Coordinates of all heavy atoms in Angstrom, one line a residue:
M131 N 246.7 48.1 197.7 CA 248.1 48.2 197.6 C 248.4 49.0 196.3 O 247.9 48.7 195.2 CB 248.7 46.8 197.5 CG 250.2 46.8 197.1 SD 251.0 45.3 197.7 CE 251.7 45.9 199.1
P132 N 249.2 50.1 196.4 CA 249.4 50.9 195.2 C 250.3 50.2 194.2 O 251.1 49.3 194.5 CB 250.2 52.1 195.8 CG 250.7 51.7 197.2 CD 249.8 50.6 197.6
E133 N 250.2 50.6 193.0 CA 251.0 50.0 191.9 C 252.0 51.1 191.5 O 251.6 52.3 191.3 CB 250.1 49.7 190.7 CG 249.1 48.6 191.0 CD 248.2 48.3 189.8 OE1 248.6 48.7 188.6 OE2 247.1 47.8 190.0
P134 N 253.3 50.8 191.3 CA 254.3 51.7 191.0 C 253.9 52.4 189.6 O 253.4 51.7 188.8 CB 255.6 50.9 190.8 CG 255.3 49.7 191.6 CD 253.8 49.5 191.5
P135 N 254.1 53.6 189.4 CA 254.8 54.6 190.2 C 253.8 55.4 191.2 O 254.2 56.3 191.8 CB 255.4 55.6 189.2 CG 254.3 55.6 188.2 CD 253.8 54.2 188.1
H136 N 252.6 54.9 191.3 CA 251.6 55.6 192.1 C 251.8 55.4 193.6 O 252.3 54.3 194.1 CB 250.2 55.1 191.8 CG 249.9 55.3 190.3 ND1 249.9 56.5 189.7 CD2 249.7 54.4 189.3 CE1 249.6 56.4 188.4 NE2 249.5 55.1 188.2
E137 N 251.5 56.4 194.4 CA 251.6 56.3 195.9 C 250.3 55.8 196.5 O 250.3 55.3 197.6 CB 252.0 57.6 196.5 CG 253.4 58.1 196.0 CD 253.7 59.5 196.5 OE1 252.9 60.1 197.2 OE2 254.7 60.0 196.1
K138 N 249.2 55.9 195.8 CA 247.9 55.5 196.4 C 247.3 54.5 195.4 O 247.6 54.5 194.2 CB 247.0 56.7 196.4 CG 247.5 57.8 197.2 CD 246.8 57.8 198.6 CE 247.3 59.1 199.3 NZ 247.3 58.9 200.7
P139 N 246.5 53.6 196.0 CA 245.8 52.6 195.1 C 244.9 53.3 194.1 O 244.3 54.3 194.4 CB 245.0 51.8 196.1 CG 245.5 52.0 197.4 CD 246.2 53.4 197.4
R140 N 244.8 52.8 192.9 CA 244.0 53.4 191.9 C 243.0 52.4 191.3 O 243.4 51.3 191.0 CB 244.9 54.0 190.8 CG 245.9 55.0 191.3 CD 246.3 56.0 190.3 NE 247.3 56.9 190.8 CZ 247.1 58.0 191.3 NH1 245.8 58.5 191.4 NH2 248.0 58.8 191.7
M141 N 241.8 52.9 191.1 CA 240.8 52.0 190.4 C 239.8 52.9 189.7 O 239.3 53.8 190.3 CB 240.1 51.1 191.5 CG 239.2 50.1 190.8 SD 238.7 49.0 192.1 CE 237.9 47.8 191.1
H142 N 239.6 52.7 188.5 CA 238.7 53.5 187.7 C 237.5 52.6 187.3 O 237.6 51.7 186.5 CB 239.4 54.0 186.4 CG 240.7 54.8 186.7 ND1 240.6 56.1 187.1 CD2 242.0 54.4 186.7 CE1 241.8 56.5 187.4 NE2 242.7 55.5 187.1
N143 N 236.4 52.9 188.0 CA 235.2 52.1 187.8 C 234.2 52.9 186.9 O 234.1 54.1 187.0 CB 234.5 51.8 189.1 CG 235.3 50.8 189.9 OD1 235.9 50.0 189.4 ND2 235.2 50.9 191.2
V144 N 233.5 52.2 186.0 CA 232.4 52.8 185.3 C 231.2 52.2 185.9 O 231.0 51.0 186.0 CB 232.5 52.4 183.8 CG1 231.4 52.9 183.0 CG2 233.9 52.9 183.2
L145 N 230.3 53.1 186.4 CA 229.1 52.7 187.1 C 227.9 52.9 186.3 O 227.8 53.9 185.6 CB 229.0 53.4 188.4 CG 230.2 53.2 189.4 CD1 230.0 54.1 190.6 CD2 230.2 51.7 189.8
P146 N 226.9 52.1 186.2 CA 226.8 50.8 187.0 C 227.7 49.7 186.5 O 228.0 48.8 187.2 CB 225.3 50.5 186.9 CG 224.9 51.0 185.6 CD 225.7 52.3 185.4
N147 N 228.1 49.8 185.1 CA 229.0 48.8 184.6 C 229.6 49.3 183.3 O 229.2 50.4 182.8 CB 228.3 47.4 184.4 CG 227.1 47.5 183.5 OD1 227.2 48.1 182.5 ND2 226.0 46.9 183.9
S148 N 230.5 48.5 182.7 CA 231.2 49.0 181.5 C 230.2 49.1 180.3 O 230.4 50.0 179.4 CB 232.3 48.1 181.1 OG 231.9 46.8 180.9
R149 N 229.1 48.4 180.3 CA 228.2 48.5 179.2 C 227.5 49.9 179.2 O 227.1 50.4 178.2 CB 227.1 47.4 179.3 CG 227.7 46.1 178.8 CD 226.6 45.1 178.7 NE 227.2 43.8 179.2 CZ 226.6 43.0 180.0 NH1 225.4 43.2 180.4 NH2 227.2 42.0 180.5
A150 N 227.3 50.4 180.4 CA 226.7 51.7 180.5 C 227.6 52.8 179.9 O 227.1 53.7 179.2 CB 226.5 52.1 182.0
Y151 N 228.9 52.7 180.0 CA 229.8 53.6 179.4 C 229.7 53.6 177.9 O 229.5 54.7 177.3 CB 231.2 53.3 179.9 CG 232.3 54.2 179.3 CD1 232.5 55.5 179.8 CD2 233.0 53.8 178.2 CE1 233.4 56.3 179.2 CE2 234.0 54.7 177.6 CZ 234.1 55.9 178.1 OH 235.1 56.8 177.6
I152 N 229.8 52.5 177.3 CA 229.8 52.4 175.8 C 228.4 52.8 175.3 O 228.2 53.4 174.3 CB 230.2 51.1 175.3 CG1 230.6 51.2 173.8 CG2 229.2 50.0 175.5 CD1 231.7 52.1 173.5
Y153 N 227.3 52.5 176.1 CA 226.0 52.9 175.7 C 225.9 54.4 175.6 O 225.4 55.0 174.6 CB 224.9 52.4 176.7 CG 223.6 53.0 176.5 CD1 222.7 52.6 175.5 CD2 223.2 54.1 177.3 CE1 221.5 53.2 175.3 CE2 221.9 54.6 177.1 CZ 221.1 54.2 176.1 OH 219.9 54.8 175.9
H154 N 226.4 55.1 176.6 CA 226.3 56.6 176.7 C 227.2 57.3 175.7 O 226.9 58.3 175.0 CB 226.5 57.1 178.1 CG 225.4 56.8 179.0 ND1 224.1 57.4 178.9 CD2 225.2 55.9 180.0 CE1 223.3 56.9 179.8 NE2 223.9 56.0 180.5
V155 N 228.4 56.7 175.5 CA 229.3 57.3 174.4 C 228.7 57.1 173.1 O 228.7 58.0 172.3 CB 230.7 56.6 174.5 CG1 231.5 56.9 173.3 CG2 231.4 57.0 175.8
G156 N 228.1 55.9 172.8 CA 227.5 55.7 171.5 C 226.3 56.6 171.3 O 226.1 57.1 170.2
K157 N 225.5 56.7 172.3 CA 224.3 57.6 172.2 C 224.7 59.0 171.9 O 224.1 59.7 171.0 CB 223.5 57.6 173.5 CG 222.3 58.3 173.6 CD 221.6 58.2 174.9 CE 220.4 59.0 175.0 NZ 219.7 58.9 176.3
H158 N 225.7 59.5 172.6 CA 226.2 60.9 172.3 C 226.8 61.0 170.9 O 226.5 62.0 170.2 CB 227.2 61.4 173.3 CG 227.7 62.7 173.1 ND1 227.0 63.9 173.3 CD2 228.9 63.1 172.6 CE1 227.7 64.9 172.9 NE2 228.9 64.5 172.6
A159 N 227.6 60.0 170.5 CA 228.2 60.0 169.2 C 227.1 60.1 168.1 O 227.2 60.9 167.1 CB 229.1 58.8 169.0
R160 N 226.1 59.2 168.2 CA 225.0 59.3 167.2 C 224.3 60.6 167.2 O 224.0 61.1 166.1 CB 224.1 58.1 167.4 CG 224.6 56.8 167.0 CD 223.5 55.7 167.1 NE 223.2 55.4 168.5 CZ 223.9 54.6 169.3 NH1 225.0 54.1 168.9 NH2 223.5 54.4 170.5
R161 N 224.1 61.2 168.3 CA 223.4 62.5 168.4 C 224.2 63.6 167.7 O 223.6 64.5 167.1 CB 223.2 62.9 169.9 CG 222.3 64.1 170.1 CD 222.1 64.4 171.5 NE 223.0 63.6 172.3 CZ 222.9 63.4 173.6 NH1 222.0 64.1 174.3 NH2 223.8 62.7 174.3
I162 N 225.5 63.5 167.7 CA 226.3 64.6 167.0 C 226.7 64.2 165.6 O 227.4 64.9 165.0 CB 227.5 65.0 167.9 CG1 228.5 63.8 168.0 CG2 227.1 65.5 169.2 CD1 229.9 64.2 168.6
G163 N 226.1 63.1 165.1 CA 226.3 62.7 163.7 C 227.5 61.8 163.4 O 227.9 61.7 162.2
V164 N 228.0 61.1 164.4 CA 229.2 60.2 164.1 C 228.6 58.9 163.4 O 227.6 58.4 163.8 CB 229.9 59.8 165.4 CG1 230.9 58.7 165.2 CG2 230.5 61.1 166.1
D165 N 229.3 58.5 162.4 CA 229.0 57.3 161.7 C 229.7 56.1 162.3 O 230.9 56.0 162.2 CB 229.4 57.4 160.2 CG 229.0 56.2 159.4 OD1 228.2 55.4 159.8 OD2 229.6 56.1 158.2
I166 N 229.0 55.3 163.1 CA 229.7 54.2 163.8 C 229.6 53.0 162.9 O 228.6 52.5 162.5 CB 229.0 53.9 165.2 CG1 229.0 55.2 166.0 CG2 229.6 52.7 165.9 CD1 228.2 55.1 167.3
R167 N 230.8 52.4 162.7 CA 230.9 51.2 161.9 C 231.5 50.1 162.7 O 232.6 50.2 163.2 CB 231.9 51.5 160.7 CG 231.4 52.5 159.7 CD 230.2 52.0 159.0 NE 229.7 53.0 158.1 CZ 229.6 52.9 156.8 NH1 230.1 51.8 156.2 NH2 229.1 53.8 156.1
T168 N 230.8 49.0 162.8 CA 231.3 47.8 163.4 C 231.8 46.9 162.3 O 231.4 47.0 161.2 CB 230.3 47.1 164.3 OG1 229.2 46.7 163.4 CG2 229.8 48.0 165.4
G169 N 232.7 46.0 162.6 CA 233.3 45.0 161.6 C 234.2 45.8 160.7 O 234.4 45.3 159.5
T170 N 234.7 46.9 161.1 CA 235.6 47.7 160.2 C 236.9 47.9 160.9 O 236.9 48.4 162.0 CB 234.9 49.0 159.8 OG1 233.7 48.7 159.2 CG2 235.8 49.8 158.9
R171 N 238.0 47.6 160.3 CA 239.3 47.8 160.9 C 240.1 48.9 160.2 O 240.2 48.9 159.0 CB 240.1 46.5 160.8 CG 241.6 46.6 161.2 CD 242.3 45.3 161.1 NE 241.8 44.6 162.3 CZ 242.6 43.7 162.9 NH1 243.7 43.4 162.4 NH2 242.1 43.0 163.9
A172 N 240.6 49.9 161.0 CA 241.4 50.9 160.4 C 242.8 50.3 160.1 O 243.4 49.7 160.9 CB 241.6 52.1 161.4
T173 N 243.2 50.6 158.8 CA 244.5 50.1 158.4 C 245.6 51.2 158.4 O 246.7 50.9 158.6 CB 244.4 49.5 156.9 OG1 243.8 50.5 156.1 CG2 243.5 48.3 156.9
R174 N 245.1 52.4 158.3 CA 246.1 53.5 158.5 C 245.3 54.8 158.7 O 244.1 54.9 158.2 CB 247.0 53.7 157.3 CG 246.4 54.1 156.0 CD 247.4 54.1 154.9 NE 246.8 54.2 153.6 CZ 246.6 55.4 153.0 NH1 247.1 56.5 153.5 NH2 246.0 55.4 151.8
F175 N 245.9 55.8 159.3 CA 245.2 57.1 159.5 C 245.8 58.0 158.5 O 247.0 58.0 158.2 CB 245.5 57.6 161.0 CG 244.8 56.8 162.0 CD1 245.5 56.0 162.9 CD2 243.4 56.8 162.1 CE1 244.9 55.2 163.9 CE2 242.7 56.0 163.0 CZ 243.5 55.2 163.9
L176 N 245.0 58.9 158.0 CA 245.4 59.9 157.0 C 245.7 61.2 157.8 O 244.9 61.7 158.6 CB 244.3 60.2 156.0 CG 243.7 58.9 155.4 CD1 242.6 59.2 154.5 CD2 244.8 58.2 154.6
V177 N 246.9 61.7 157.7 CA 247.4 62.8 158.5 C 247.8 64.0 157.6 O 248.5 63.8 156.6 CB 248.6 62.4 159.3 CG1 249.2 63.5 160.2 CG2 248.3 61.2 160.2
E178 N 247.3 65.2 157.9 CA 247.7 66.4 157.3 C 248.0 67.4 158.3 O 247.3 67.7 159.3 CB 246.5 66.9 156.4 CG 246.3 66.1 155.2 CD 245.1 66.7 154.4 OE1 244.8 67.9 154.5 OE2 244.5 65.9 153.6
G179 N 249.2 68.0 158.2 CA 249.6 69.1 159.2 C 249.7 68.6 160.6 O 249.4 69.3 161.5
G180 N 250.0 67.3 160.8 CA 250.2 66.7 162.1 C 248.8 66.4 162.8 O 248.8 66.0 163.9
R181 N 247.7 66.4 162.0 CA 246.4 66.1 162.6 C 245.8 64.9 161.7 O 246.0 64.9 160.5 CB 245.5 67.3 162.5 CG 246.0 68.4 163.4 CD 245.0 69.5 163.4 NE 243.8 69.1 164.1 CZ 242.8 69.8 164.4 NH1 242.8 71.1 164.1 NH2 241.8 69.3 165.1
V182 N 245.1 64.0 162.4 CA 244.4 63.0 161.7 C 243.2 63.6 161.0 O 242.4 64.2 161.6 CB 244.0 61.8 162.7 CG1 243.1 60.8 162.0 CG2 245.2 61.2 163.3
T183 N 243.1 63.4 159.7 CA 242.0 63.9 158.9 C 241.1 62.8 158.3 O 240.1 63.2 157.7 CB 242.6 64.8 157.7 OG1 243.4 64.0 156.9 CG2 243.4 66.0 158.3
G184 N 241.5 61.6 158.5 CA 240.7 60.5 157.9 C 241.3 59.2 158.3 O 242.3 59.1 159.0
A185 N 240.6 58.1 157.8 CA 241.1 56.8 158.1 C 240.9 55.9 156.9 O 239.8 56.0 156.3 CB 240.4 56.2 159.3
A186 N 241.8 55.1 156.5 CA 241.7 54.1 155.5 C 241.3 52.8 156.3 O 242.0 52.4 157.3 CB 242.9 53.9 154.7
C187 N 240.3 52.1 155.8 CA 239.8 51.0 156.6 C 239.5 49.8 155.7 O 239.3 50.0 154.5 CB 238.4 51.4 157.3 SG 238.6 52.8 158.4
D188 N 239.5 48.6 156.3 CA 239.0 47.4 155.6 C 237.6 47.1 156.2 O 237.5 46.9 157.4 CB 239.9 46.2 155.9 CG 241.1 46.3 155.1 OD1 241.1 46.9 154.0 OD2 242.1 45.7 155.5
G189 N 236.6 47.3 155.4 CA 235.2 47.0 155.8 C 234.7 45.7 155.4 O 235.4 45.0 154.6
P190 N 233.5 45.3 155.8 CA 233.0 44.0 155.4 C 232.8 43.9 153.8 O 232.8 42.8 153.3 CB 231.6 43.9 156.1 CG 231.4 45.1 156.8 CD 232.6 46.0 156.7
D191 N 232.7 45.0 153.1 CA 232.5 45.0 151.7 C 233.7 45.4 150.9 O 233.7 45.7 149.8 CB 231.3 45.9 151.3 CG 230.0 45.4 151.9 OD1 229.8 44.2 152.0 OD2 229.2 46.2 152.3
G192 N 234.9 45.5 151.6 CA 236.1 45.9 151.0 C 236.7 47.2 151.6 O 236.2 47.7 152.6
P193 N 237.8 47.7 150.9 CA 238.4 48.9 151.5 C 237.5 50.2 151.4 O 236.8 50.3 150.5 CB 239.6 49.1 150.5 CG 239.8 47.8 149.9 CD 238.4 47.2 149.8
I194 N 237.6 51.0 152.4 CA 236.9 52.2 152.5 C 237.8 53.3 153.1 O 238.7 53.0 153.8 CB 235.7 52.1 153.5 CG1 234.8 50.9 153.2 CG2 234.9 53.4 153.6 CD1 233.8 50.6 154.2
V195 N 237.6 54.6 152.6 CA 238.3 55.7 153.2 C 237.3 56.7 153.8 O 236.3 57.0 153.2 CB 239.1 56.5 152.2 CG1 239.7 57.7 152.8 CG2 240.2 55.6 151.6
F196 N 237.4 57.0 155.1 CA 236.6 57.9 155.8 C 237.3 59.3 155.9 O 238.4 59.3 156.4 CB 236.2 57.5 157.2 CG 235.4 56.2 157.2 CD1 236.0 55.0 157.3 CD2 234.0 56.3 157.1 CE1 235.3 53.8 157.3 CE2 233.3 55.1 157.2 CZ 233.9 53.9 157.3
M197 N 236.7 60.3 155.3 CA 237.3 61.6 155.5 C 236.2 62.7 155.7 O 235.2 62.6 155.1 CB 238.1 62.0 154.2 CG 239.2 61.1 153.9 SD 240.3 61.7 152.6 CE 240.8 63.3 153.3
P198 N 236.5 63.6 156.6 CA 235.5 64.6 156.9 C 235.4 65.6 155.7 O 236.4 65.9 155.1 CB 235.9 65.3 158.1 CG 237.4 65.1 158.2 CD 237.6 63.8 157.5
V199 N 234.2 66.0 155.4 CA 234.0 67.0 154.3 C 234.4 68.3 154.9 O 235.1 69.1 154.2 CB 232.5 67.0 153.9 CG1 232.3 68.1 152.9 CG2 232.0 65.7 153.4
Q200 N 234.0 68.7 156.1 CA 234.5 69.8 156.8 C 234.6 69.3 158.3 O 233.9 68.4 158.7 CB 233.4 71.0 156.8 CG 233.3 71.6 155.4 CD 232.2 72.6 155.4 OE1 231.6 72.9 156.5 NE2 232.0 73.3 154.3
P201 N 235.5 70.0 159.0 CA 235.7 69.5 160.4 C 234.4 69.4 161.2 O 234.3 68.6 162.1 CB 236.7 70.5 161.0 CG 237.4 71.1 159.8 CD 236.4 71.1 158.7
S202 N 233.4 70.3 160.9 CA 232.2 70.3 161.7 C 231.1 69.3 161.2 O 230.1 69.1 161.8 CB 231.6 71.7 161.7 OG 231.3 72.1 160.4
L203 N 231.4 68.6 160.1 CA 230.4 67.7 159.5 C 230.8 66.3 159.6 O 232.0 66.0 159.7 CB 230.3 68.0 158.0 CG 229.7 69.4 157.6 CD1 229.7 69.6 156.1 CD2 228.3 69.6 158.2
P204 N 229.9 65.3 159.6 CA 230.2 63.9 159.6 C 231.1 63.5 158.4 O 231.1 64.2 157.4 CB 228.9 63.2 159.6 CG 227.9 64.2 160.0 CD 228.5 65.6 159.6
A205 N 231.8 62.5 158.6 CA 232.7 62.0 157.5 C 232.0 61.6 156.3 O 230.9 61.0 156.3 CB 233.6 60.9 158.0
A206 N 232.6 61.8 155.1 CA 232.1 61.3 153.9 C 232.7 59.9 153.7 O 233.9 59.7 154.1 CB 232.4 62.2 152.7
I207 N 232.1 59.1 153.0 CA 232.6 57.7 152.8 C 232.9 57.5 151.3 O 232.1 57.8 150.5 CB 231.6 56.6 153.3 CG1 231.3 56.9 154.7 CG2 232.1 55.2 153.0 CD1 230.1 56.1 155.2
T208 N 234.1 57.1 151.1 CA 234.6 56.8 149.7 C 234.9 55.3 149.6 O 235.7 54.8 150.3 CB 235.8 57.6 149.3 OG1 235.5 59.0 149.6 CG2 236.2 57.4 147.9
R209 N 234.3 54.6 148.7 CA 234.5 53.2 148.5 C 235.7 53.1 147.5 O 235.7 53.8 146.5 CB 233.3 52.5 147.9 CG 233.6 51.1 147.5 CD 233.0 50.1 148.3 NE 231.9 50.4 149.3 CZ 232.0 50.0 150.5 NH1 233.0 49.3 151.0 NH2 231.0 50.2 151.3
L210 N 236.7 52.4 147.9 CA 237.9 52.2 147.0 C 237.6 51.1 146.1 O 237.0 50.1 146.5 CB 239.1 52.0 147.8 CG 239.6 53.0 148.8 CD1 240.8 52.6 149.6 CD2 239.9 54.3 148.1
T211 N 238.1 51.2 144.9 CA 238.0 50.1 143.9 C 239.4 49.5 143.7 O 240.4 50.2 143.7 CB 237.5 50.5 142.6 OG1 238.3 51.6 142.1 CG2 236.1 51.0 142.7
K212 N 239.5 48.2 143.6 CA 240.8 47.5 143.4 C 241.1 47.6 141.9 O 240.3 47.4 141.0 CB 240.7 46.1 143.8 CG 240.4 45.9 145.3 CD 240.4 44.4 145.7 CE 240.1 44.3 147.2 NZ 240.1 43.0 147.6
S213 N 242.4 48.1 141.6 CA 242.8 48.2 140.2 C 243.7 47.1 139.8 O 244.2 46.3 140.5 CB 243.5 49.6 140.0 OG 244.2 50.0 141.1

């Protein structure tokens, strides 16, 4: 049965299962140099010229700012100190 506003039933399956999807996305991300951080929550995005250029995060060891050194390079990590 279709769900409004669609005229046809829709279902988006990840095969063989959803774990396969995240495995392959993570594998590709690591291959291209993405720094994957778990246990880290983005508190705000840093925007310049209408584009996201970094992220301020709360990590397990305190606040962190991730900003790319150059668009083609992985992000540099800056540890913030509380003043």
Side-chain angles (χ1 to χ4, degrees):
M131 172 158 259
E133 296 176 22
H136 306 296
E137 296 175 1
K138 303 258 185 209
R140 303 206 184 264
M141 187 168 189
H142 303 283
N143 288 331
V144 178
L145 298 174
N147 58 44
S148 61
R149 284 186 223 138
Y151 177 78
I152 197 64
Y153 168 79
H154 289 289
V155 168
K157 183 178 175 183
H158 178 71
R160 284 187 293 280
R161 188 176 12 188
I162 64 172
V164 174
D165 181 14
I166 299 172
R167 297 289 176 116
T168 59
T170 303
R171 173 179 280 210
T173 54
R174 67 185 171 95
F175 293 112
L176 309 175
V177 180
E178 290 181 21
R181 298 184 68 171
V182 174
T183 58
C187 303
D188 284 335
D191 298 323
I194 304 170
V195 174
F196 295 93
M197 296 194 58
V199 177
Q200 292 178 358
S202 61
L203 296 178
I207 301 168
T208 305
R209 174 108 11 232
L210 299 178
T211 56
K212 295 181 181 179
S213 36

